[in-house]
Amino acid sequence: MKVTSSALDTCESSFTPLVVLELAQDVKEETKEWLKNRIISKKEDGGAQLLFRPLLNKYEKETLENQNLYLVGASKITLLLGAEAMGLVKECNDNTMRAFTYGTRYNFKDFDDDNDDFLTMAECQFIIKHELENLRARDEKMIPGYPQAKLYPGKSLLRRLLTSGIVIQVFPLHDNEALKKLEDTWYTRFTLKYQPIDHIRGYFGETIALYFGFLEYFTVALIPMAVIGLPYYLFVWEDYDKYVIFASFNLIWSTVILEVWKRGCANMTYRWGTLVMKRQFEEPRPGFHGVLGINPVTGRKEPLYPSYKRQLRIYLVSLPFVCLCLYFSLYVMMIYFDMEAWALSLHENSGSEWTSVLLYVPSIIYAIVIEIMNRLYRYAAEFLTSWENHRLESAYQNHLILKVLVFNFLNCFASLFYIAFVLRDMKLLRQSLATLLITSQILNQIMESLLPYWLQRKHHVQVKRKVQALKADIDATLYEQVVLEKEMGTYLGTFDDYLELFLQFGYVSLFSCVYPLAAAFAVLNNFTEVNSDALKMCRVLKRPFSEPSANIGVWQLAFETMSVISVVTNCALIGMSPQVNALFPESKLDLVLIVVAVEHALLALKFVLAFAIPDKPRHIQMKLARLEFESLEALKQQDIKDYIVGSLRSKIFVRDHQTRSFLGTGLHQTQILYLLSRLSLPFMYGGQFQISPEEPPRL
């Protein structure tokens, strides 16, 4: 018998709190009661069928501050049915990866009625988030108690509550015991070892695990570049013709590491189940608005917004604004060069030691200004992209990433291109590149991890003192945890983390023949970056909701584009070197043609390597092909069964006595009877039948 959500028990008095929901302090009681009923009601009544209770009871609220904090959990059956509805993929007993179904739960590895660890805590919290986000309005016209908060059928209640300010935030709770175990194997002991990526995935989900996996992989891949670049830096600084080998190695290296990463990523995500996870129809993003209408694909009521209006906003407002920001960035860059010229003239006039130190000051100031401009532009880009009113979250992310990448690329690298190809000052290029790289790494470490960690420690001490002073008989440990975590900063996703690696990859690859020591500094930074990012995830920011991912998304394309640009840059720099120019004293045209030919040859080699290295290992390809074949076979069988059942109900079966087959199906009577017996359906034709074939009839 199929288990439905109506069979669940939602009245459990105790449960494991997984998610915290914070309401505004002045929320009306009727709104709280309505929200509670919608969360705990059965699915057929429009509820989420979750477990829900306040953090503090009535007496505790009177004793303490009136905290509108609520805990959300779910029964085991609710979570399992939620996993089936979302298409979570788990490993079966035969070592294949399949979408979980409740009816076949015993076929999956490690499943047991008494085992509460079949679903990871991150998966459980993701399921609860999915159920809360899919609470939709039915016949309500407004949120009770708030006439201005309008509703329409199909509108996501949680999104409306968040945009109305009724719900302040929804976040998953940390599991202190599991977190302590993860920390012990991750970053608390400063030893050179691989990260526990599978444990990170189990606690934080696939998206964050993929970032840390890529960070670790990229750091290890940088080591050969650092080792080879060190002797070039120490012994043959001005011999640019000898950098041809190093630059060529750089170009092949950048291609190979990105292709090999795709293979390793496919291995990981297949093991986690996200590589074969079916992509569901994407819902409208929370900020999407428009005139209420019917979606022609889903038939659901949702806001509709003409695409031409979005295009007008993009091309008439967003694009000019981005161009204006790029112009401002170039203007600031020219001010930096004026400062460089002033510092250089001062040093030449005085020749003292302190003026030699002053030569680095303009680059340091410019690096700080770049970081400030990048952060300010990020806020503007987010506002503009939201104002463009994209329906899908994926479209919103793609437009945001494009805006930010273009500005960051120009802001961080325009001065280096200007020095390299306009001023042609290789000494200044080395100095600027080193200063920008090192300064940006130090600033990122301070702003992303050290400063937030220090502020969080101070807040933690204050909360601890407050809880210790309480005389109320409450669960002080849980209360302290929730109050502490609700004040933590919110993790905004892996965007900034990937952006930092992207810029670092640019510093290493674009001008490798000028500053080969860049890879060594990147390796040193990334060793500390792993620990600082881990500290940030575990102790500084709220625990983020898990998000299934099969790869690093659009960032793979961004890194590959950067590697193509690096081919052109390095070839041009080598062609400009005095040693190479000395080989063509009379005709510069020949030099240009040779440089272009070499650049095209290296690009061709790069694309050949990319084509020759498969994105997925062969054993993964075979497993995916096998799953696809089995899915097609199952679909064929299901189509036949559906046809037979439908025909039975409509009584359109006609028996041909001569062919002993059923017209319209082409199947023999014995095959039909066998299928019906497997379907457990009664079938009468001229009396009761009996069928007991030794082997199933061939279909």
Side-chain angles (χ1 to χ4, degrees), residues 374-434:
N374 285 343
R375 293 180 185 276
L376 291 177
Y377 177 81
R378 169 73 183 274
Y379 294 124
E382 287 178 347
F383 173 80
L384 272 179
T385 311
S386 178
W387 178 73
E388 289 167 5
N389 198 26
H390 296 279
R391 179 185 177 274
L392 301 180
E393 184 65 28
S394 58
Y396 171 85
Q397 289 295 333
N398 289 339
H399 281 80
L400 176 61
I401 289 173
L402 180 61
K403 289 186 182 71
V404 175
L405 280 186
V406 169
F407 182 81
N408 277 261
F409 182 85
L410 185 73
N411 204 25
C412 294
F413 299 116
S415 62
L416 301 178
F417 279 100
Y418 185 82
I419 295 171
F421 301 112
V422 178
L423 301 181
R424 298 193 177 188
D425 188 340
M426 297 301 114
K427 184 177 180 180
L428 179 59
L429 179 60
R430 288 195 298 270
Q431 174 189 310
S432 299
L433 178 57

Side-chain angles (χ1 to χ4, degrees), residues 27-55:
V27 173
K28 298 177 181 179
E29 288 299 324
E30 63 175 309
T31 308
K32 294 180 183 178
E33 192 63 27
W34 168 78
L35 179 59
K36 174 186 175 182
N37 289 334
R38 289 303 301 268
I39 290 176
I40 67 174
S41 295
K42 296 180 178 181
K43 289 286 187 68
E44 52 264 37
D45 298 329
Q49 206 148 347
L50 300 173
L51 305 175
F52 182 84
R53 73 170 176 85
L55 173 64

Side-chain angles (χ1 to χ4, degrees), residues 283-299:
E283 297 287 342
R285 54 182 294 270
F288 179 65
H289 59 272
V291 179
L292 183 64
I294 303 296
N295 186 304
V297 178
T298 64

Side-chain angles (χ1 to χ4, degrees), residues 366-376 411 440 443-444:
Y366 185 52
I368 296 173
V369 170
I370 283 176
E371 289 298 318
I372 295 173
M373 290 172 62
N374 285 343
R375 293 180 185 276
L376 291 177
N411 204 25
S440 64
L443 287 175
N444 281 326

